[in-house]
Amino acid sequence: MPFWGGHTERLRHVQPVRSGAVEVGGTKVLCLVGSDPEHIVAQSRIPTGKPAETLAQVLAFFHQEVSCGGPLAAIGIASFGPLELRRSHPHYGFITVSPKPDWSFVDMVGPVRRALGVPVGFDTDVNAAALGEGRWGAARGLDTFVYLTVGTGIGAGAVVEGQVVHGLGHPEMGHLSVPRQPGDHFAGHCPFHSTCWEGMASGAAIAARWGCPAEQLDGATLRAAVQLEAGYLAAGLRNIIYAMAPQRIVIGGSVTGLPGLFPLVRAKLRDALAGYPGLAEHAADDFIVPPALGPLAGAAGALVLAHHAAGL
Ligand code: ZN
């Protein structure tokens, strides 16, 4: 071995691996290149337009980054769903029956893999956010936890014993049943189930119930809305806690900006559990927490998907 061989190996070892991440949202697509949330070397926000145009802009960003900065180990795509995640299915890598116009049965993985010639990881935005928070954020060091987002809709990703729960497709925890809260006569907003969790507690449900978006509520209406929201969130969290025994639940999304929501959810959760099974951890302030990665959770998770795809 040449005398410099060991040195070269050591450099290769410490050199961070550049991967690509794509978080596809309803209004924007966040693309980035980096190795972890502290080492992001390039990023771009692209408006979510028609699928072909949007994907073309995503590919153009990565072609540019590869030509300037060198090859990528892999790319991870975290997308709004529902998605086909069964690898043996002919539509693996597709968005399936999306309520978003033009985005049903759009192949997300195929065009990226063909254009860039790298392994591509693929999962839901919430599963990715769970992975990101588990690797670098609020669920670091835990092996069983849930990431919940409460925005326009409600979605959740679960990691159980270190693995993202997939099963037949992916969980749809936003459509859990929740008991109607006392004094609430809202008809519900889910097109499938009316009064499911998302139908009663999503940002869209809040806007429909109160006649304006959550961030525009004020005074007594705001206080009533926060009480009701905390009650519905606690009711849904109870279902998750009893079904999965998570060590922590991370809650992100625009609705969590409601003032005083977290302490109220924790208090109402204690009421909803009613002392069963009597775990002190469920009452601790670090059981229900906001994401540590903030709005970067999904994109960071897409980096984890890229790492998995590259076998890192
Ligand atoms: Zn529903």
Side-chain angles (χ1 to χ4, degrees), residues 122-172:
F122 185 54
D123 214 324
T124 64
D125 44 9
V126 285
N127 279 349
L131 287 171
E133 289 291 331
R135 174 78 65 91
W136 296 298
R140 198 169 172 173
L142 304 178
D143 66 10
T144 299
F145 57 91
V146 169
Y147 176 90
L148 178 75
T149 183
V150 188
T152 307
I154 294 181
V159 172
V160 174
E161 296 183 347
Q163 298 292 320
V164 175
V165 174
H166 282 131
L168 188 62
H170 47 81
E172 290 280 5

Side-chain angles (χ1 to χ4, degrees), residues 172 174-176 189-199:
E172 290 280 5
H175 298 274
L176 286 168
H189 198 67
C190 176
F192 300 99
H193 321 106
S194 299
T195 58
C196 66
W197 201 14
E198 179 171 293

Side-chain angles (χ1 to χ4, degrees), residues 29-254:
V29 180
L30 176 60
C31 301
L32 58 84
V33 170
S35 53
D36 61 68
E38 299 288 310
H39 298 92
I40 293 168
V41 296
Q43 62 176 304
S44 176
R45 277 171 209 279
I46 296 162
T48 309
K50 301 267 188 194
E53 297 157 14
T54 308
L55 282 170
Q57 289 181 70
V58 168
L59 294 177
F61 167 79
F62 285 114
H63 279 307
Q64 170 76 12
E65 288 307 313
V66 168
S67 68
C68 294
L72 302 173
I75 290 182
I77 303 174
S79 176
F80 64 82
L83 309 179
E84 183 51 77
L85 296 175
R86 292 170 289 181
R87 289 183 177 274
S88 58
H89 195 280
H91 286 148
Y92 169 76
F94 281 51
I95 294 174
T96 60
V97 283
S98 174
K100 188 168 174 58
D102 304 317
W103 282 84
S104 285
F105 294 99
V106 172
D107 185 2
M108 303 297 285
V109 169
V112 175
R113 185 187 284 144
R114 286 191 292 273
L116 294 157
V118 293
V120 177
F122 185 54
D123 214 324
T124 64
D125 44 9
V126 285
N127 279 349
L131 287 171
E133 289 291 331
R135 174 78 65 91
W136 296 298
R140 198 169 172 173
L142 304 178
D143 66 10
T144 299
F145 57 91
V146 169
Y147 176 90
L148 178 75
T149 183
V150 188
T152 307
I154 294 181
V159 172
V160 174
E161 296 183 347
Q163 298 292 320
V164 175
V165 174
H166 282 131
L168 188 62
H170 47 81
E172 290 280 5
M173 286 182 249
H175 298 274
L176 286 168
S177 292
V178 287
R180 181 176 287 281
Q181 294 297 294
D184 184 25
H185 303 290
F186 180 54
H189 198 67
C190 176
F192 300 99
H193 321 106
S194 299
T195 58
C196 66
W197 201 14
E198 179 171 293
M200 299 307 266
S202 65
I206 293 171
R209 179 189 283 110
W210 301 100
C212 72
E215 58 272 21
Q216 291 175 18
L217 295 168
D218 59 12
T221 311
L222 173 61
R223 287 192 291 279
V226 175
Q227 285 285 338
L228 205 53
E229 183 67 12
Y232 278 117
L233 291 184
L237 293 175
R238 182 178 114 148
N239 291 335
I240 292 173
I241 288 163
Y242 286 156
M244 291 187 183
Q247 296 154 322
R248 182 168 294 156
I249 297 175
V250 183
I251 310 182
S254 58

